[in-house]
Amino acid sequence: QKLVEVLPEAEQAAIGAELRGKIVECVENMHGNHVIQICARKAPMAIVDSILEAVLESVDKLCEHMYGCRVIQRILERCELDKLHLLLGKIMANIARLAKDKHGNYVVQCVLERGRKEDKQQIMQVVQSCFVDFAKDKVASNVVEKCFEVSTIGPDADFLQDAREAMYKLVLGDVSTPEGAPLEQLMHDRFGNYTVQCIIKHSRGDNLQALQRRILEAEEKLKESATGRLIVAALKKATGQAPDESEETGTPNAPSKGSELHGTGQCKPCAWFWKPQGCRNGQNCQHCHLCPEGELKERKKARRDAKSTRST
């Protein structure tokens, strides 16, 4: 990996020639994928183009692969949009499935950050079609949250304004239905409550006021549950108030003791939860079981990057 970063371009080209025909094999390898990722980030564009060409033959499989999804994200981050139309087209054809996949959801989130504005709009339309289902899903809820983020503070927020308003209208919904509006369905849900907190965080103007009215109407009931207290705390932060300490802490209803701090961002991801054997400590685990897969590695990488920046 370090050689790819420091070698002159001619030697980098030699590495690219050696990889030709073996790129997908490396992508699927627990060690080789890191080399392909660094090539996608740092190597000359001729090598990146060869990686893109190889990936295009197996997009569906790689999007849902533990290592393949990472390489696809690096390609989306590096390449100009005019080179990505084939890749994006194949990804966009499977958004509903990928959004619920434990690896594919990261690709969808990356498209929301790096893709064409029309792609972002289409993803938001897919999310709207099964909003509650996505928002309650362990991994798809992250895609829902990303939709609200990019349509509020992303570079294409103005273009996505109508799609964002449609999602807010959907969230508030019709409270007279037997199951209640999506907002009420999500507030007490294990994963949906984090979607509500994200919606509150990215609400502005009339949307924030409408959410505030509805949440205040249910405040007493919300304070009876862990998820409800987190929502009340999020609303207070969004409206410039200081949350009570009891509203920012979790309860034994969390999947593990360490998960109680998930809503505050101060939790520590469990290294075992996402492994095939799972976490043997269960409810007694001191680490978070709500963090998405790969969160631990992402935090370690962020610390390394920050340390590297300070040293330079």
Side-chain angles (χ1 to χ4, degrees):
Q1 296 177 61
K2 182 58 68 175
L3 281 174
V4 174
E5 292 188 70
V6 302
L7 283 176
E9 191 167 318
E11 280 79 358
Q12 288 180 331
I15 292 176
E18 180 74 18
L19 288 171
R20 189 166 287 111
K22 303 175 184 177
I23 289 174
V24 173
E25 178 185 346
C26 290
V27 169
E28 295 178 331
N29 182 271
M30 67 182 297
H31 305 298
N33 83 90
H34 294 290
V35 175
I36 303 300
Q37 286 190 68
I38 201 68
C39 285
R41 291 178 55 227
K42 300 288 187 178
M45 284 307 301
I47 296 178
V48 180
D49 290 342
S50 66
I51 295 172
L52 175 58
E53 182 180 354
V55 164
L56 282 171
E57 298 177 5
S58 308
V59 174
D60 291 348
K61 179 178 70 172
L62 294 179
C63 280
E64 296 177 328
H65 191 275
M66 180 183 297
Y67 309 129
C69 69
R70 302 173 189 178
V71 171
I72 290 178
Q73 289 176 75
R74 301 296 86 76
I75 294 171
L76 291 170
E77 292 165 356
R78 177 76 185 277
C79 294
E80 297 294 331
L81 288 174
D82 59 358
K83 284 190 174 185
L84 295 172
H85 63 281
L86 289 177
L87 176 61
L88 287 168
K90 293 187 176 186
I91 294 171
M92 294 304 298
N94 296 291
I95 289 299
R97 189 184 78 242
L98 292 175
K100 286 191 170 185
D101 183 80
K102 63 180 181 180
H103 305 303
N105 82 92
Y106 292 109
V107 175
V108 178
Q109 291 185 65
C110 191
V111 174
L112 282 167
E113 291 183 336
R114 305 278 183 167
R116 300 166 297 199
K117 58 185 180 182
E118 293 81 9
D119 297 329
K120 300 175 185 181
Q121 185 181 56
Q122 184 179 336
I123 293 172
M124 292 179 72
Q125 290 170 350
V126 171
V127 168
Q128 287 178 52
S129 68
C130 297
F131 182 81
V132 174
D133 187 35
F134 282 123
K136 286 185 174 183
D137 187 82
K138 184 174 185 177
V139 294
S141 58
N142 295 304
V143 173
V144 179
E145 293 174 22
K146 184 64 71 173
C147 285
F148 281 98
E149 177 186 329
V150 301
S151 63
T152 303
I153 59 176
D156 295 315
D158 290 342
F159 177 82
L160 299 171
Q161 182 176 354
D162 290 343
R164 181 177 68 249
E165 290 301 315
M167 289 187 71
Y168 273 105
K169 184 177 180 180
L170 180 61
V171 169
L172 293 171
D174 184 359
V175 294
S176 64
T177 58
E179 65 274 14
L183 178 64
E184 280 70 26
Q185 294 181 56
L186 298 177
M187 287 195 291
H188 296 284
D189 182 76
R190 176 181 174 186
F191 301 111
N193 85 92
Y194 293 107
T195 301
V196 175
Q197 292 178 57
C198 178
I199 294 170
I200 293 170
K201 177 181 177 181
H202 295 295
S203 294
R204 306 288 188 271
D206 293 341
N207 290 325
L208 179 58
Q209 292 179 15
L211 280 171
Q212 185 177 21
R213 286 194 298 270
R214 291 278 284 277
I215 292 171
L216 289 178
E217 288 172 2
E219 184 174 9
E220 292 306 313
K221 187 175 180 180
L222 286 170
K223 287 185 175 181
E224 296 175 3
S225 70
T227 57
R229 287 194 290 273
L230 290 172
I231 289 170
V232 172
L235 178 63
K236 287 187 175 181
K237 288 181 180 178
T239 54
Q241 304 174 62
D244 298 335
E245 184 177 348
S246 62
E247 293 169 349
E248 294 191 291
T249 57
T251 74
N253 290 331
S256 68
K257 290 183 178 178
S259 301
E260 296 176 4
L261 293 174
H262 183 78
T264 68
Q266 299 175 3
C267 60
K268 296 180 179 180
C270 179
W272 293 97
F273 180 70
W274 285 96
K275 293 184 177 181
Q277 65 269 40
C279 177
R280 295 180 181 179
N281 293 324
Q283 180 77 41
N284 294 321
C285 181
Q286 299 296 321
H287 294 82
C288 184
H289 289 182
L290 290 174
C291 286
E293 185 178 15
E295 177 69 14
L296 184 61
K297 289 185 177 179
E298 289 298 321
R299 293 193 189 185
K300 287 181 178 178
K301 180 179 180 297
R303 287 196 294 270
R304 288 197 302 270
D305 291 346
K307 184 177 180 180
S308 175
T309 301
R310 288 196 298 270
S311 65
T312 56

